[in-house]
Amino acid sequence: KAGVTQTPRYLIKTRGQQVTLSCSPISGHRSVSWYQQTPGQGLQFLFEYFSETQRNKGNFPGRFSGRQFSNSRSEMNVSTLELGDSALYLCASSLGDRDGYTFGSGTRLTVV
Amino acid sequence: GENVEQHPSTLSVQEGDSAVIKCTYSDSASNYFPWYKQELGKGPQLIIDIRSNVGEKKDQRIAVTLNKTAKHFSLHITETQPEDSAVYFCAASKIQFYFGTGTSLTVIP
């Protein structure tokens, strides 16, 4: 079966711009979580969506937002980009609370 | 919230030797402990997991042990091969996942 698909794979944006990243979970998975990965901070939790509702949120500023659609696909948006937002953004899906994640390959965002 | 510490941050072993990575967690309510392997340019991949009602789990060359009392769990890789070279992450979860900071494993041929 198809894995978690993230698009685009690479993105270069300028400071102040906004960006939208997309994630298609494994078919049947209703939980989608987003993480920011940087060399210095490791995997930082952004938010989790389940059945179109944000269920958990990490400690990120309001510039980071997300949503989930009825088909479980999810998007995350970052507004007013800063240089420090450069990172690998990972999406992970799971069947439910007691299941492991399946990660996508990530979107590499570079802010210049 | 939960705090997961992972050691060592880097590990080099000779091919064929064993590698051990250790993690500790702070929240005794955490009940699910997965391990992920991340290769360059890829997302983390689940390699093994253990739940709090089990003390040890093995899958071929990979094993995980859990000590609930001491709140620590470990990943053991035996007979290491060059393709085991990657970054390994532990995680602890009750509902939300909390990740360790990763261990960069290098297997020297």
Side-chain angles (χ1 to χ4, degrees), chain B residues 31-88:
Chain B
N31 55 18
Y32 177 62
F33 307 91
W35 285 88
Y36 290 85
K37 174 184 180 182
Q38 187 174 24
E39 296 173 314
L40 206 59
K42 298 183 179 180
Q45 179 185 13
L46 178 68
I47 56 171
I48 195 166
D49 56 10
I50 192 167
R51 300 192 187 274
S52 58
N53 59 346
V54 176
E56 184 174 359
K57 184 176 178 181
K58 190 173 180 180
D59 183 4
Q60 299 183 341
R61 298 185 297 107
I62 294 173
V64 57
T65 58
L66 171 65
N67 183 325
K68 284 194 301 181
T69 304
K71 293 204 281 288
H72 68 70
F73 56 114
S74 301
L75 176 72
H76 305 253
I77 306 174
T78 59
E79 300 171 22
T80 53
Q81 302 166 2
E83 51 266 38
D84 294 329
S85 296
V87 179
Y88 291 81

Side-chain angles (χ1 to χ4, degrees), chain A:
Chain A
K1 60 182 177 182
V4 177
T5 304
Q6 290 189 248
T7 56
R9 287 297 310 276
Y10 303 93
L11 208 48
I12 299 176
K13 289 287 189 179
T14 305
R15 271 183 303 173
Q17 287 186 313
Q18 74 164 19
V19 66
T20 299
L21 312 181
S22 179
C23 171
S24 293
I26 290 175
S27 178
H29 285 195
R30 294 163 64 191
S31 171
V32 174
S33 297
W34 289 88
Y35 285 83
Q36 181 194 67
Q37 186 176 32
T38 58
Q41 298 295 319
L43 284 155
Q44 300 289 307
F45 174 71
L46 281 155
F47 26 67
E48 184 213 358
Y49 287 87
F50 185 88
S51 293
E52 302 179 65
T53 301
Q54 186 180 90
R55 195 159 64 166
N56 286 300
K57 189 177 190 303
N59 191 26
F60 276 81
R63 300 186 296 107
F64 292 81
S65 63
R67 58 178 176 168
Q68 186 180 32
F69 302 95
S70 58
N71 61 358
S72 292
R73 190 177 72 83
S74 177
E75 288 181 348
M76 69 163 280
N77 184 77
V78 188
S79 62
T80 320
L81 284 165
E82 301 177 359
L83 295 178
D85 297 333
S86 296
L88 179 67
Y89 289 87
L90 291 162
C91 167
S93 74
S94 68
L95 269 174
D97 289 343
R98 295 184 58 77
D99 299 289
Y101 285 153
T102 299
F103 281 90
S105 295
T107 294
R108 172 75 61 184
L109 171 66
T110 302
V111 182
V112 298

Side-chain angles (χ1 to χ4, degrees), chain B residues 7 33 40 92 99 108:
Chain B
H7 300 280
F33 307 91
L40 206 59
F99 286 86
I108 304 164

Side-chain angles (χ1 to χ4, degrees), chain B residues 9-25:
Chain B
S9 57
T10 60
L11 179 60
S12 291
V13 299
Q14 292 288 334
E15 182 178 357
D17 287 350
S18 295
V20 180
I21 303 170
K22 299 182 179 182
C23 288
T24 61
Y25 61 100

